[in-house]
Amino acid sequence: MAVVIESERIPMSLEDYEELPEGPPFYDYIDGVAIRVNRPTPRHSDIQVALTWVLKQHVQTHKLGRVHHEIDVRLPSHEWVGPDIIFLSTEHNGRMNEEKGDLYGCPDLVVEISSPSTRPYDRGEKFGLYERNQVPWLWFVEQDSLFIEEYRWTTDGYLRGRSAPPGHIFKPGLFPGLDIELEQLLGSEEVPPLKEAE
């Protein structure tokens, strides 16, 4: 996720938030507060593009649904977030508003790429928000180390599942048969550029 500007937390109604013009600046909306976020770093963008590409290849090959980055999500709690990457299964495709390009409801997977400055926000407020809304799967990727971990929602809350330290293969429980080695992937020249709203 982009860097949170702590001084720019603006209390407002959901109606006022939804009337804001399209950014920049960009905001999440949690607990009645618009929270300004900055653009990501080049490393964050590299990870986002590479991981989106890998997920798209797997999801499209197996006809599982769709993968996007830079999509605004209106959760069932009527709060808005802009996850780094989302996966939406075919059975939930109706949650996407094709005209607006926004998702209304829970994605099946949210991926947040965290830096040291965004970790408290991603793993604090946003983790709690995703848990309250019962987002089925949540991945955290550490921008600096490339450590990946997966959480699955249960009736007891999120349970930590599979993880992979830097240089190791991540085998997500959500996608059996998919192997992700981010360090190797980021060094590859095979990853094509992706358009912003793809």
Side-chain angles (χ1 to χ4, degrees), residues 175-189:
F175 299 117
L178 176 62
D179 293 344
I180 300 173
E181 211 286 76
L182 266 181
E183 195 169 66
Q184 184 180 48
L185 185 61
L186 289 172
S188 171
E189 297 181 0

Side-chain angles (χ1 to χ4, degrees), residues 90-137:
T90 302
E91 64 183 298
H92 297 145
N93 194 49
R95 297 175 183 175
M96 182 69 71
N97 183 313
E98 302 292 348
E99 184 178 343
K100 291 185 176 181
D102 296 335
L103 177 64
Y104 288 79
C106 287
D108 294 275
L109 166 69
V110 161
V111 181
E112 293 288 359
I113 302 165
S114 299
S115 68
S117 64
T118 65
R119 189 178 298 117
Y121 178 58
D122 289 341
R123 291 181 175 268
E125 286 174 90
K126 293 185 84 174
F127 183 92
L129 180 64
Y130 295 140
E131 190 169 42
R132 291 196 303 275
N133 283 274
Q134 302 177 15
V135 174
W137 295 87

Side-chain angles (χ1 to χ4, degrees), residues 29-50:
Y29 183 75
I30 301 176
D31 291 332
V33 177
I35 304 167
R36 183 175 175 184
V37 294
N38 268 349
R39 290 186 179 277
T41 64
R43 180 171 175 83
H44 179 288
S45 296
D46 287 345
I47 296 168
Q48 184 182 36
V49 168

